[in-house]
Amino acid sequence: MDTLWQIVKVLIGIYVGLGLLLYLLQSRLIYYPNLPSRQVTHTPADIGLDYESVTLRSEGGIKLDGWYVPSSADRGSVLFLHGNAGNIGHRLDSLGIFHRLGYSTLIFDYRGYGRSEGRMSEQGSYQDAIAAWRYLVEQRNVPGKEIVVFGRSLGGSIASWLAVRHRPKGLIVESAFTSVPDFAASLYPIYPARLLSRFSYDTRAYLQQVDCPVLVVHSEQDEIIPYRHGRRLYASASEPKQMLTLQGGHNDGFLASGQRYVDGLQGFLESIN
């Protein structure tokens, strides 16, 4: 019995210790600015696109690094909010797609990502999105009603939050989760993850308040954020709304789906023009 009790105490200690690590290291489990590298080694020029380097000023005077990629077709502007890993240099494929569709795009790195200053946090990411919106409206003179907000993965939650506060022309939420507590609960079922979560990013709640056309994009084969998250987000959004189902993984579904993806984006964008 003494041996059994010792084993039980060790298991309890391991359980509590791992739970404490999960609680204390949450930011490192959510934000990956150094994956695969924090260095911005590629620019839109690498795919033949003209662009301007821009500096945004977020709350507290934090400088954010970004690019403005203009389009002569002038069909509107896209505010691009990327995911939790890498930096703007890893999003050239998407910049090329929006350019071919005739949209100018503003993309930037959150605080702590790429060449941007500061350290990432949930509230900081929201403030960074506001800084980007203000740049388009105040310095590029783009009316808010002409801006399409696009968010991929973590960026989908930030984009939804922004769309509640500044009504854009349309909102595209791609490969996003319903909320961090929901996602954590599925990753760590042996822990009370919803109670332990120090982050919210409640995409589903934000979408319930959004008052603009919404396109939810998700792959049935998404190995990181299951397809059911996309379906629940679609159910939460108000009309008018569309759902675009992709094939392929979390990070390459938009590429693996090829023309289906491009046609889906184009169809949504044309429907809100």
Side-chain angles (χ1 to χ4, degrees), residues 1 8 32 66 75 79 218 241:
M1 290 297 295
V8 170
Y32 296 95
R75 292 177 181 166
L79 172 51
H218 216 106
K241 60 183 179 180

Side-chain angles (χ1 to χ4, degrees), residues 196-270:
L196 293 174
S197 179
R198 294 188 289 114
F199 293 83
S200 177
Y201 285 116
D202 197 341
T203 318
R204 180 160 50 179
Y206 304 150
L207 277 178
Q208 291 172 347
Q209 304 172 63
V210 167
D211 184 26
C212 72
V214 175
L215 172 65
V216 176
V217 184
H218 216 106
S219 172
E220 291 181 308
Q221 283 82 47
D222 194 317
E223 77 286 7
I224 296 178
I225 301 176
Y227 182 63
R228 64 178 180 273
H229 283 259
R231 294 300 305 174
R232 290 170 183 170
L233 292 178
Y234 175 74
S236 298
S238 300
E239 296 286 355
K241 60 183 179 180
Q242 297 179 32
M243 179 85 188
L244 174 59
T245 298
L246 305 181
Q247 305 296 315
H250 180 76
N251 293 312
D252 66 357
F254 74 104
L255 294 174
S257 297
Q259 196 60 41
R260 173 179 174 79
Y261 175 73
V262 176
D263 289 345
L265 290 184
Q266 184 175 22
F268 174 73
L269 294 171
E270 289 179 351

Side-chain angles (χ1 to χ4, degrees), residues 69-233:
V69 182
S71 172
S72 58
D74 197 26
R75 292 177 181 166
S77 296
V78 171
L79 172 51
F80 193 116
L81 299 163
H82 67 66
N84 69 329
N87 57 62
I88 55 177
H90 304 122
R91 273 75 192 188
L92 299 185
D93 290 318
S94 292
L95 293 178
I97 289 172
F98 282 117
H99 187 267
R100 290 194 297 274
L101 291 174
Y103 282 76
S104 300
T105 304
L106 172 65
I107 187 171
F108 70 96
D109 274 324
Y110 311 112
R111 59 187 65 198
Y113 281 72
R115 295 182 291 242
S116 294
E117 298 177 345
R119 182 176 180 180
M120 186 62 156
S121 67
E122 181 169 359
Q123 290 304 314
S125 67
Y126 297 147
Q127 294 303 318
D128 295 348
I130 288 178
W133 176 276
R134 287 177 175 168
Y135 173 84
L136 282 175
V137 172
E138 297 174 5
Q139 297 190 46
R140 293 285 172 176
N141 297 315
V142 180
K145 63 181 180 179
E146 294 301 321
I147 299 174
V148 176
V149 180
F150 172 93
R152 176 175 290 147
S153 194
L154 175 67
S157 189
I158 301 169
S160 299
W161 181 93
L162 181 65
V164 173
R165 286 148 184 82
H166 298 281
R167 190 182 190 278
K169 185 176 189 177
L171 170 66
I172 303 174
V173 178
E174 183 176 310
S175 306
F177 47 71
T178 54
S179 72
V180 166
D182 284 351
F183 187 45
S186 64
L187 288 178
Y188 310 106
I190 65 172
Y191 287 100
R194 288 187 173 85
L195 296 177
L196 293 174
S197 179
R198 294 188 289 114
F199 293 83
S200 177
Y201 285 116
D202 197 341
T203 318
R204 180 160 50 179
Y206 304 150
L207 277 178
Q208 291 172 347
Q209 304 172 63
V210 167
D211 184 26
C212 72
V214 175
L215 172 65
V216 176
V217 184
H218 216 106
S219 172
E220 291 181 308
Q221 283 82 47
D222 194 317
E223 77 286 7
I224 296 178
I225 301 176
Y227 182 63
R228 64 178 180 273
H229 283 259
R231 294 300 305 174
R232 290 170 183 170
L233 292 178

